[in-house]
Amino acid sequence: MTIGAMERSSATPGGRTRREATRQKLYEAAVTLIAEQGFSATTVDEIAERAGVAKGTVYYNFASKSVLFEELLRHGVGLLTASLKEAAERTAREGGSRVEALDAMVRAGLVFIDRYPAFTQLYVAELWRTNRAWQSTLMVVRQEAVAVVEGVLREGVANGEFSEEIDVPLTAAALVGMVLVAALDWKSFQPERSLDDVHAALSRLLQGRVSGRP
Amino acid sequence: MTIGAMERSSATPGGRTRREATRQKLYEAAVTLIAEQGFSATTVDEIAERAGVAKGTVYYNFASKSVLFEELLRHGVGLLTASLKEAAERTAREGGSRVEALDAMVRAGLVFIDRYPAFTQLYVAELWRTNRAWQSTLMVVRQEAVAVVEGVLREGVANGEFSEEIDVPLTAAALVGMVLVAALDWKSFQPERSLDDVHAALSRLLQGRVSGRP
DNA sequence: CTTTTTGCACTGACCAGTCAGTACAAAAAT
DNA sequence: ATTTTTGTACTGACTGGTCAGTGCAAAAAG
């Protein structure tokens, strides 16, 4: 049946199919609307209108409103995870310590949120909900991101750089939360501040240079 | 308008009116449902049913669904703020340091989340949304809570206990985020852990005892 | 007697999802 | 070279259901 059907459509010069471009537009429209209003309060008509396509096109490209949302989640968290991994690996390659790796990941997180604030907003808003259709997708995808941080913490414990007493999963969650919330606050309430500024404040907190010493 | 309406009805011996009891039931029903499903996905019929009252009673007690929600937010954050303030003041009274005050507030936050997990969930989910009716309520109420933390940080800077270089608002936001996210993760993903356990892990992080030293 | 709650029927706006049809370009047939 | 067919992407009017909010009479509570 629809097997040999794909070739004809890789038309556009950029190598990108028409369909992919439409899906991208729909992602972009959906992410800001859902971040602002929430999933249920956002209508498919709004998404279509903002993307500049007809409502039918949404359903031509996605099976349903929630499938669109689920794929959006996967897509977004994929970007974040890749970026965190890249930061950790780059630090390792350059012979940095685990603290430096953590710091690099904090920065990578901030850069991500700086670039995709709406996605971050939406992610946080949905993460701890229960009884929702995409709950399991969300769990999987969350674990991928947190696992990267846990990995660095464990390596640090192994080589003696971190105390053996730290609780790896909990500390990883707390670190992710710290960055997430601080960054959302930055974007919402003091957007004029620079990324470096925010990064410096979090570094200080991370390295315990808040109380006491230089 | 509705100003002189309150006095007549303080009937019940307990000081609590019939009406207040109904409102309380509605708060409790609404908070769990909205935490699970979100505001828009939760119907007034569901809220009424879970509270065990007729739908008409909801509208007799609240002007609309969103007014119910707004008053719920105010009510909940009021409890949290009071609890944080109490922790900070108790520490001060007992002659504790500012770090100890911070630590006491972390614990107070955890106790609150332990007792009202649904409210916390819902609060986090709504906090960074824009374009919603209760946006301004939320901002006011958030500032009240964060201000308590900022106060302690500022006192610490003033008496030399904290570095002068810390960024008070940002650090306060990061601390709140750390506790919020760690606690939600605790409740969602490892609910068997004890409060003391979680508190110990966060204390360690707070006091920079992750990297290096005892 | 007043306040509060109940139960239930009703309305009208709104919205997810459907479907018959259009546009168009590449391929096949003539 | 031209006509015809086929597959893909998209369109927008329409439908069936849902839900916030109303209206009201009668009962319960105080």
PDB file of all heavy atoms in Angstrom, chain B residues 8 18-19 22 53-54 57 60-61, chain C residues 2-10:
ATOM      1  N   ARG B   8     -24.024  38.606  60.456  1.00  0.00           N
ATOM      2  CA  ARG B   8     -25.221  37.916  60.894  1.00  0.00           C
ATOM      3  C   ARG B   8     -25.040  36.404  61.058  1.00  0.00           C
ATOM      4  O   ARG B   8     -25.689  35.781  61.885  1.00  0.00           O
ATOM      5  CB  ARG B   8     -26.400  38.205  59.954  1.00  0.00           C
ATOM      6  CG  ARG B   8     -27.686  37.888  60.662  1.00  0.00           C
ATOM      7  CD  ARG B   8     -28.996  38.308  60.165  1.00  0.00           C
ATOM      8  NE  ARG B   8     -29.415  39.082  59.082  1.00  0.00           N
ATOM      9  CZ  ARG B   8     -28.734  39.842  58.219  1.00  0.00           C
ATOM     10  NH1 ARG B   8     -27.433  39.953  58.312  1.00  0.00           N
ATOM     11  NH2 ARG B   8     -29.325  40.484  57.260  1.00  0.00           N
ATOM     12  N   ARG B  18     -22.074  27.456  58.946  1.00  0.00           N
ATOM     13  CA  ARG B  18     -22.453  26.392  58.020  1.00  0.00           C
ATOM     14  C   ARG B  18     -21.808  26.660  56.663  1.00  0.00           C
ATOM     15  O   ARG B  18     -21.249  25.765  56.027  1.00  0.00           O
ATOM     16  CB  ARG B  18     -23.984  26.461  57.898  1.00  0.00           C
ATOM     17  CG  ARG B  18     -24.663  25.339  57.208  1.00  0.00           C
ATOM     18  CD  ARG B  18     -26.072  25.213  57.807  1.00  0.00           C
ATOM     19  NE  ARG B  18     -27.111  24.893  56.851  1.00  0.00           N
ATOM     20  CZ  ARG B  18     -27.131  23.800  56.095  1.00  0.00           C
ATOM     21  NH1 ARG B  18     -26.128  22.956  56.153  1.00  0.00           N
ATOM     22  NH2 ARG B  18     -28.137  23.569  55.269  1.00  0.00           N
ATOM     23  N   ARG B  19     -21.880  27.915  56.280  1.00  0.00           N
ATOM     24  CA  ARG B  19     -21.388  28.300  54.972  1.00  0.00           C
ATOM     25  C   ARG B  19     -19.885  28.032  54.847  1.00  0.00           C
ATOM     26  O   ARG B  19     -19.415  27.507  53.849  1.00  0.00           O
ATOM     27  CB  ARG B  19     -21.646  29.784  54.771  1.00  0.00           C
ATOM     28  CG  ARG B  19     -21.979  30.071  53.342  1.00  0.00           C
ATOM     29  CD  ARG B  19     -22.656  31.390  53.159  1.00  0.00           C
ATOM     30  NE  ARG B  19     -22.647  31.666  51.737  1.00  0.00           N
ATOM     31  CZ  ARG B  19     -22.647  32.879  51.219  1.00  0.00           C
ATOM     32  NH1 ARG B  19     -22.651  33.929  52.007  1.00  0.00           N
ATOM     33  NH2 ARG B  19     -22.644  33.022  49.922  1.00  0.00           N
ATOM     34  N   THR B  22     -19.165  24.471  54.187  1.00  0.00           N
ATOM     35  CA  THR B  22     -19.422  24.095  52.794  1.00  0.00           C
ATOM     36  C   THR B  22     -18.282  24.583  51.892  1.00  0.00           C
ATOM     37  O   THR B  22     -17.790  23.845  51.034  1.00  0.00           O
ATOM     38  CB  THR B  22     -20.745  24.726  52.309  1.00  0.00           C
ATOM     39  OG1 THR B  22     -21.766  24.385  53.225  1.00  0.00           O
ATOM     40  CG2 THR B  22     -21.101  24.225  50.936  1.00  0.00           C
ATOM     41  N   VAL B  53     -22.152  18.102  47.421  1.00  0.00           N
ATOM     42  CA  VAL B  53     -23.182  19.152  47.474  1.00  0.00           C
ATOM     43  C   VAL B  53     -23.809  19.287  46.088  1.00  0.00           C
ATOM     44  O   VAL B  53     -23.298  18.727  45.114  1.00  0.00           O
ATOM     45  CB  VAL B  53     -22.605  20.523  47.892  1.00  0.00           C
ATOM     46  CG1 VAL B  53     -21.906  20.427  49.236  1.00  0.00           C
ATOM     47  CG2 VAL B  53     -21.675  21.070  46.819  1.00  0.00           C
ATOM     48  N   ALA B  54     -24.888  20.038  46.021  1.00  0.00           N
ATOM     49  CA  ALA B  54     -25.529  20.261  44.731  1.00  0.00           C
ATOM     50  C   ALA B  54     -24.780  21.349  43.963  1.00  0.00           C
ATOM     51  O   ALA B  54     -24.106  22.188  44.554  1.00  0.00           O
ATOM     52  CB  ALA B  54     -26.970  20.675  44.937  1.00  0.00           C
ATOM     53  N   THR B  57     -25.275  24.910  44.927  1.00  0.00           N
ATOM     54  CA  THR B  57     -24.560  25.351  46.128  1.00  0.00           C
ATOM     55  C   THR B  57     -23.210  25.974  45.793  1.00  0.00           C
ATOM     56  O   THR B  57     -22.788  26.923  46.438  1.00  0.00           O
ATOM     57  CB  THR B  57     -24.349  24.154  47.078  1.00  0.00           C
ATOM     58  OG1 THR B  57     -25.601  23.551  47.305  1.00  0.00           O
ATOM     59  CG2 THR B  57     -23.744  24.600  48.392  1.00  0.00           C
ATOM     60  N   TYR B  60     -24.014  29.314  44.805  1.00  0.00           N
ATOM     61  CA  TYR B  60     -24.499  30.108  45.938  1.00  0.00           C
ATOM     62  C   TYR B  60     -23.309  30.624  46.737  1.00  0.00           C
ATOM     63  O   TYR B  60     -23.330  31.716  47.278  1.00  0.00           O
ATOM     64  CB  TYR B  60     -25.418  29.266  46.827  1.00  0.00           C
ATOM     65  CG  TYR B  60     -26.016  30.061  47.958  1.00  0.00           C
ATOM     66  CD1 TYR B  60     -27.076  30.930  47.719  1.00  0.00           C
ATOM     67  CD2 TYR B  60     -25.503  29.964  49.246  1.00  0.00           C
ATOM     68  CE1 TYR B  60     -27.616  31.681  48.741  1.00  0.00           C
ATOM     69  CE2 TYR B  60     -26.041  30.716  50.274  1.00  0.00           C
ATOM     70  CZ  TYR B  60     -27.097  31.579  50.022  1.00  0.00           C
ATOM     71  OH  TYR B  60     -27.622  32.322  51.048  1.00  0.00           O
ATOM     72  N   ASN B  61     -22.234  29.858  46.777  1.00  0.00           N
ATOM     73  CA  ASN B  61     -21.069  30.232  47.589  1.00  0.00           C
ATOM     74  C   ASN B  61     -19.958  30.967  46.834  1.00  0.00           C
ATOM     75  O   ASN B  61     -19.168  31.681  47.441  1.00  0.00           O
ATOM     76  CB  ASN B  61     -20.476  28.985  48.243  1.00  0.00           C
ATOM     77  CG  ASN B  61     -21.297  28.529  49.424  1.00  0.00           C
ATOM     78  OD1 ASN B  61     -21.201  29.080  50.500  1.00  0.00           O
ATOM     79  ND2 ASN B  61     -22.158  27.544  49.197  1.00  0.00           N
TER      80      ASN B  61
ATOM     81  P    DT C   2     -38.094  37.296  57.012  1.00  0.00           P
ATOM     82  OP1  DT C   2     -37.931  38.761  56.992  1.00  0.00           O
ATOM     83  OP2  DT C   2     -38.852  36.595  55.950  1.00  0.00           O
ATOM     84  O5'  DT C   2     -36.655  36.648  57.084  1.00  0.00           O
ATOM     85  C5'  DT C   2     -35.806  36.921  58.238  1.00  0.00           C
ATOM     86  C4'  DT C   2     -34.505  36.186  58.065  1.00  0.00           C
ATOM     87  O4'  DT C   2     -34.685  34.773  58.318  1.00  0.00           O
ATOM     88  C3'  DT C   2     -33.897  36.302  56.662  1.00  0.00           C
ATOM     89  O3'  DT C   2     -32.518  36.574  56.822  1.00  0.00           O
ATOM     90  C2'  DT C   2     -34.187  34.955  56.022  1.00  0.00           C
ATOM     91  C1'  DT C   2     -34.188  34.011  57.235  1.00  0.00           C
ATOM     92  N1   DT C   2     -35.071  32.819  57.126  1.00  0.00           N
ATOM     93  C2   DT C   2     -34.566  31.598  57.505  1.00  0.00           C
ATOM     94  O2   DT C   2     -33.449  31.439  57.914  1.00  0.00           O
ATOM     95  N3   DT C   2     -35.464  30.554  57.387  1.00  0.00           N
ATOM     96  C4   DT C   2     -36.762  30.608  56.947  1.00  0.00           C
ATOM     97  O4   DT C   2     -37.469  29.608  56.898  1.00  0.00           O
ATOM     98  C5   DT C   2     -37.215  31.917  56.558  1.00  0.00           C
ATOM     99  C7   DT C   2     -38.623  32.084  56.049  1.00  0.00           C
ATOM    100  C6   DT C   2     -36.361  32.955  56.658  1.00  0.00           C
ATOM    101  P    DT C   3     -31.541  36.728  55.612  1.00  0.00           P
ATOM    102  OP1  DT C   3     -30.543  37.749  55.930  1.00  0.00           O
ATOM    103  OP2  DT C   3     -32.368  36.805  54.367  1.00  0.00           O
ATOM    104  O5'  DT C   3     -30.826  35.312  55.635  1.00  0.00           O
ATOM    105  C5'  DT C   3     -30.202  34.881  56.836  1.00  0.00           C
ATOM    106  C4'  DT C   3     -29.619  33.507  56.618  1.00  0.00           C
ATOM    107  O4'  DT C   3     -30.675  32.527  56.509  1.00  0.00           O
ATOM    108  C3'  DT C   3     -28.780  33.374  55.341  1.00  0.00           C
ATOM    109  O3'  DT C   3     -27.575  32.736  55.719  1.00  0.00           O
ATOM    110  C2'  DT C   3     -29.641  32.517  54.418  1.00  0.00           C
ATOM    111  C1'  DT C   3     -30.409  31.680  55.422  1.00  0.00           C
ATOM    112  N1   DT C   3     -31.741  31.160  54.974  1.00  0.00           N
ATOM    113  C2   DT C   3     -32.033  29.839  55.183  1.00  0.00           C
ATOM    114  O2   DT C   3     -31.266  29.049  55.696  1.00  0.00           O
ATOM    115  N3   DT C   3     -33.288  29.457  54.756  1.00  0.00           N
ATOM    116  C4   DT C   3     -34.242  30.254  54.162  1.00  0.00           C
ATOM    117  O4   DT C   3     -35.338  29.796  53.836  1.00  0.00           O
ATOM    118  C5   DT C   3     -33.861  31.629  53.975  1.00  0.00           C
ATOM    119  C7   DT C   3     -34.830  32.583  53.341  1.00  0.00           C
ATOM    120  C6   DT C   3     -32.638  32.018  54.379  1.00  0.00           C
ATOM    121  P    DT C   4     -26.360  32.517  54.688  1.00  0.00           P
ATOM    122  OP1  DT C   4     -25.088  32.520  55.427  1.00  0.00           O
ATOM    123  OP2  DT C   4     -26.600  33.417  53.540  1.00  0.00           O
ATOM    124  O5'  DT C   4     -26.636  31.028  54.205  1.00  0.00           O
ATOM    125  C5'  DT C   4     -26.599  29.970  55.170  1.00  0.00           C
ATOM    126  C4'  DT C   4     -27.051  28.695  54.516  1.00  0.00           C
ATOM    127  O4'  DT C   4     -28.448  28.767  54.185  1.00  0.00           O
ATOM    128  C3'  DT C   4     -26.332  28.358  53.204  1.00  0.00           C
ATOM    129  O3'  DT C   4     -25.575  27.185  53.439  1.00  0.00           O
ATOM    130  C2'  DT C   4     -27.456  28.174  52.188  1.00  0.00           C
ATOM    131  C1'  DT C   4     -28.665  27.924  53.082  1.00  0.00           C
ATOM    132  N1   DT C   4     -29.992  28.289  52.502  1.00  0.00           N
ATOM    133  C2   DT C   4     -30.968  27.319  52.449  1.00  0.00           C
ATOM    134  O2   DT C   4     -30.818  26.180  52.839  1.00  0.00           O
ATOM    135  N3   DT C   4     -32.162  27.745  51.910  1.00  0.00           N
ATOM    136  C4   DT C   4     -32.453  29.004  51.435  1.00  0.00           C
ATOM    137  O4   DT C   4     -33.568  29.261  50.972  1.00  0.00           O
ATOM    138  C5   DT C   4     -31.384  29.975  51.527  1.00  0.00           C
ATOM    139  C7   DT C   4     -31.613  31.377  51.057  1.00  0.00           C
ATOM    140  C6   DT C   4     -30.220  29.566  52.056  1.00  0.00           C
ATOM    141  P    DT C   5     -24.700  26.494  52.307  1.00  0.00           P
ATOM    142  OP1  DT C   5     -23.574  25.777  52.900  1.00  0.00           O
ATOM    143  OP2  DT C   5     -24.471  27.487  51.242  1.00  0.00           O
ATOM    144  O5'  DT C   5     -25.721  25.404  51.764  1.00  0.00           O
ATOM    145  C5'  DT C   5     -26.258  24.455  52.679  1.00  0.00           C
ATOM    146  C4'  DT C   5     -27.310  23.633  51.985  1.00  0.00           C
ATOM    147  O4'  DT C   5     -28.421  24.481  51.621  1.00  0.00           O
ATOM    148  C3'  DT C   5     -26.841  22.974  50.681  1.00  0.00           C
ATOM    149  O3'  DT C   5     -26.932  21.566  50.829  1.00  0.00           O
ATOM    150  C2'  DT C   5     -27.792  23.521  49.619  1.00  0.00           C
ATOM    151  C1'  DT C   5     -28.991  23.947  50.452  1.00  0.00           C
ATOM    152  N1   DT C   5     -29.824  25.001  49.834  1.00  0.00           N
ATOM    153  C2   DT C   5     -31.137  24.714  49.519  1.00  0.00           C
ATOM    154  O2   DT C   5     -31.656  23.632  49.717  1.00  0.00           O
ATOM    155  N3   DT C   5     -31.840  25.762  48.958  1.00  0.00           N
ATOM    156  C4   DT C   5     -31.360  27.031  48.685  1.00  0.00           C
ATOM    157  O4   DT C   5     -32.078  27.882  48.178  1.00  0.00           O
ATOM    158  C5   DT C   5     -29.978  27.266  49.038  1.00  0.00           C
ATOM    159  C7   DT C   5     -29.351  28.606  48.787  1.00  0.00           C
ATOM    160  C6   DT C   5     -29.285  26.253  49.590  1.00  0.00           C
ATOM    161  P    DT C   6     -26.419  20.601  49.671  1.00  0.00           P
ATOM    162  OP1  DT C   6     -25.930  19.349  50.263  1.00  0.00           O
ATOM    163  OP2  DT C   6     -25.591  21.364  48.738  1.00  0.00           O
ATOM    164  O5'  DT C   6     -27.808  20.303  48.952  1.00  0.00           O
ATOM    165  C5'  DT C   6     -28.894  19.781  49.714  1.00  0.00           C
ATOM    166  C4'  DT C   6     -30.093  19.578  48.822  1.00  0.00           C
ATOM    167  O4'  DT C   6     -30.650  20.866  48.468  1.00  0.00           O
ATOM    168  C3'  DT C   6     -29.801  18.868  47.502  1.00  0.00           C
ATOM    169  O3'  DT C   6     -30.557  17.665  47.447  1.00  0.00           O
ATOM    170  C2'  DT C   6     -30.230  19.850  46.430  1.00  0.00           C
ATOM    171  C1'  DT C   6     -31.185  20.771  47.176  1.00  0.00           C
ATOM    172  N1   DT C   6     -31.250  22.157  46.655  1.00  0.00           N
ATOM    173  C2   DT C   6     -32.442  22.615  46.138  1.00  0.00           C
ATOM    174  O2   DT C   6     -33.442  21.942  46.081  1.00  0.00           O
ATOM    175  N3   DT C   6     -32.408  23.914  45.687  1.00  0.00           N
ATOM    176  C4   DT C   6     -31.336  24.776  45.703  1.00  0.00           C
ATOM    177  O4   DT C   6     -31.435  25.919  45.274  1.00  0.00           O
ATOM    178  C5   DT C   6     -30.108  24.238  46.252  1.00  0.00           C
ATOM    179  C7   DT C   6     -28.875  25.071  46.316  1.00  0.00           C
ATOM    180  C6   DT C   6     -30.130  22.968  46.698  1.00  0.00           C
ATOM    181  P    DG C   7     -30.039  16.417  46.600  1.00  0.00           P
ATOM    182  OP1  DG C   7     -30.203  15.184  47.407  1.00  0.00           O
ATOM    183  OP2  DG C   7     -28.715  16.746  46.047  1.00  0.00           O
ATOM    184  O5'  DG C   7     -31.092  16.398  45.421  1.00  0.00           O
ATOM    185  C5'  DG C   7     -32.431  16.834  45.662  1.00  0.00           C
ATOM    186  C4'  DG C   7     -33.094  17.168  44.349  1.00  0.00           C
ATOM    187  O4'  DG C   7     -33.041  18.607  44.114  1.00  0.00           O
ATOM    188  C3'  DG C   7     -32.457  16.526  43.120  1.00  0.00           C
ATOM    189  O3'  DG C   7     -33.510  16.110  42.281  1.00  0.00           O
ATOM    190  C2'  DG C   7     -31.646  17.660  42.503  1.00  0.00           C
ATOM    191  C1'  DG C   7     -32.565  18.846  42.800  1.00  0.00           C
ATOM    192  N9   DG C   7     -31.938  20.157  42.792  1.00  0.00           N
ATOM    193  C8   DG C   7     -30.637  20.465  43.107  1.00  0.00           C
ATOM    194  N7   DG C   7     -30.379  21.747  43.012  1.00  0.00           N
ATOM    195  C5   DG C   7     -31.592  22.322  42.621  1.00  0.00           C
ATOM    196  C6   DG C   7     -31.923  23.679  42.372  1.00  0.00           C
ATOM    197  O6   DG C   7     -31.200  24.669  42.451  1.00  0.00           O
ATOM    198  N1   DG C   7     -33.266  23.820  42.005  1.00  0.00           N
ATOM    199  C2   DG C   7     -34.150  22.792  41.892  1.00  0.00           C
ATOM    200  N2   DG C   7     -35.372  23.116  41.528  1.00  0.00           N
ATOM    201  N3   DG C   7     -33.845  21.514  42.124  1.00  0.00           N
ATOM    202  C4   DG C   7     -32.551  21.353  42.480  1.00  0.00           C
ATOM    203  P    DC C   8     -33.388  14.916  41.282  1.00  0.00           P
ATOM    204  OP1  DC C   8     -34.385  13.920  41.760  1.00  0.00           O
ATOM    205  OP2  DC C   8     -31.994  14.525  41.008  1.00  0.00           O
ATOM    206  O5'  DC C   8     -33.978  15.647  40.003  1.00  0.00           O
ATOM    207  C5'  DC C   8     -34.859  16.753  40.197  1.00  0.00           C
ATOM    208  C4'  DC C   8     -34.855  17.670  39.005  1.00  0.00           C
ATOM    209  O4'  DC C   8     -34.223  18.934  39.325  1.00  0.00           O
ATOM    210  C3'  DC C   8     -34.121  17.151  37.763  1.00  0.00           C
ATOM    211  O3'  DC C   8     -34.892  17.481  36.647  1.00  0.00           O
ATOM    212  C2'  DC C   8     -32.818  17.924  37.802  1.00  0.00           C
ATOM    213  C1'  DC C   8     -33.376  19.276  38.271  1.00  0.00           C
ATOM    214  N1   DC C   8     -32.348  20.246  38.724  1.00  0.00           N
ATOM    215  C2   DC C   8     -32.626  21.610  38.632  1.00  0.00           C
ATOM    216  O2   DC C   8     -33.726  21.970  38.201  1.00  0.00           O
ATOM    217  N3   DC C   8     -31.694  22.511  39.027  1.00  0.00           N
ATOM    218  C4   DC C   8     -30.520  22.092  39.492  1.00  0.00           C
ATOM    219  N4   DC C   8     -29.632  23.011  39.869  1.00  0.00           N
ATOM    220  C5   DC C   8     -30.202  20.698  39.596  1.00  0.00           C
ATOM    221  C6   DC C   8     -31.143  19.813  39.206  1.00  0.00           C
ATOM    222  P    DA C   9     -35.019  16.532  35.344  1.00  0.00           P
ATOM    223  OP1  DA C   9     -35.838  15.346  35.669  1.00  0.00           O
ATOM    224  OP2  DA C   9     -33.644  16.395  34.809  1.00  0.00           O
ATOM    225  O5'  DA C   9     -35.844  17.483  34.365  1.00  0.00           O
ATOM    226  C5'  DA C   9     -36.717  18.467  34.920  1.00  0.00           C
ATOM    227  C4'  DA C   9     -36.470  19.802  34.238  1.00  0.00           C
ATOM    228  O4'  DA C   9     -35.380  20.502  34.872  1.00  0.00           O
ATOM    229  C3'  DA C   9     -36.099  19.698  32.759  1.00  0.00           C
ATOM    230  O3'  DA C   9     -36.840  20.657  32.047  1.00  0.00           O
ATOM    231  C2'  DA C   9     -34.605  19.986  32.741  1.00  0.00           C
ATOM    232  C1'  DA C   9     -34.499  20.996  33.870  1.00  0.00           C
ATOM    233  N9   DA C   9     -33.168  21.133  34.459  1.00  0.00           N
ATOM    234  C8   DA C   9     -32.286  20.132  34.791  1.00  0.00           C
ATOM    235  N7   DA C   9     -31.153  20.564  35.307  1.00  0.00           N
ATOM    236  C5   DA C   9     -31.313  21.935  35.323  1.00  0.00           C
ATOM    237  C6   DA C   9     -30.471  22.985  35.752  1.00  0.00           C
ATOM    238  N6   DA C   9     -29.268  22.781  36.287  1.00  0.00           N
ATOM    239  N1   DA C   9     -30.928  24.256  35.621  1.00  0.00           N
ATOM    240  C2   DA C   9     -32.136  24.455  35.088  1.00  0.00           C
ATOM    241  N3   DA C   9     -33.017  23.559  34.654  1.00  0.00           N
ATOM    242  C4   DA C   9     -32.539  22.302  34.796  1.00  0.00           C
ATOM    243  P    DC C  10     -36.842  20.637  30.455  1.00  0.00           P
ATOM    244  OP1  DC C  10     -38.191  21.041  30.017  1.00  0.00           O
ATOM    245  OP2  DC C  10     -36.205  19.397  29.975  1.00  0.00           O
ATOM    246  O5'  DC C  10     -35.854  21.853  30.161  1.00  0.00           O
ATOM    247  C5'  DC C  10     -36.145  23.134  30.739  1.00  0.00           C
ATOM    248  C4'  DC C  10     -35.030  24.089  30.432  1.00  0.00           C
ATOM    249  O4'  DC C  10     -33.904  23.822  31.292  1.00  0.00           O
ATOM    250  C3'  DC C  10     -34.490  24.027  28.994  1.00  0.00           C
ATOM    251  O3'  DC C  10     -34.685  25.291  28.401  1.00  0.00           O
ATOM    252  C2'  DC C  10     -33.025  23.675  29.161  1.00  0.00           C
ATOM    253  C1'  DC C  10     -32.739  24.138  30.588  1.00  0.00           C
ATOM    254  N1   DC C  10     -31.589  23.465  31.250  1.00  0.00           N
ATOM    255  C2   DC C  10     -30.582  24.253  31.830  1.00  0.00           C
ATOM    256  O2   DC C  10     -30.673  25.482  31.760  1.00  0.00           O
ATOM    257  N3   DC C  10     -29.534  23.653  32.431  1.00  0.00           N
ATOM    258  C4   DC C  10     -29.461  22.318  32.480  1.00  0.00           C
ATOM    259  N4   DC C  10     -28.421  21.779  33.098  1.00  0.00           N
ATOM    260  C5   DC C  10     -30.477  21.490  31.896  1.00  0.00           C
ATOM    261  C6   DC C  10     -31.519  22.101  31.299  1.00  0.00           C
TER     262       DC C  10
END
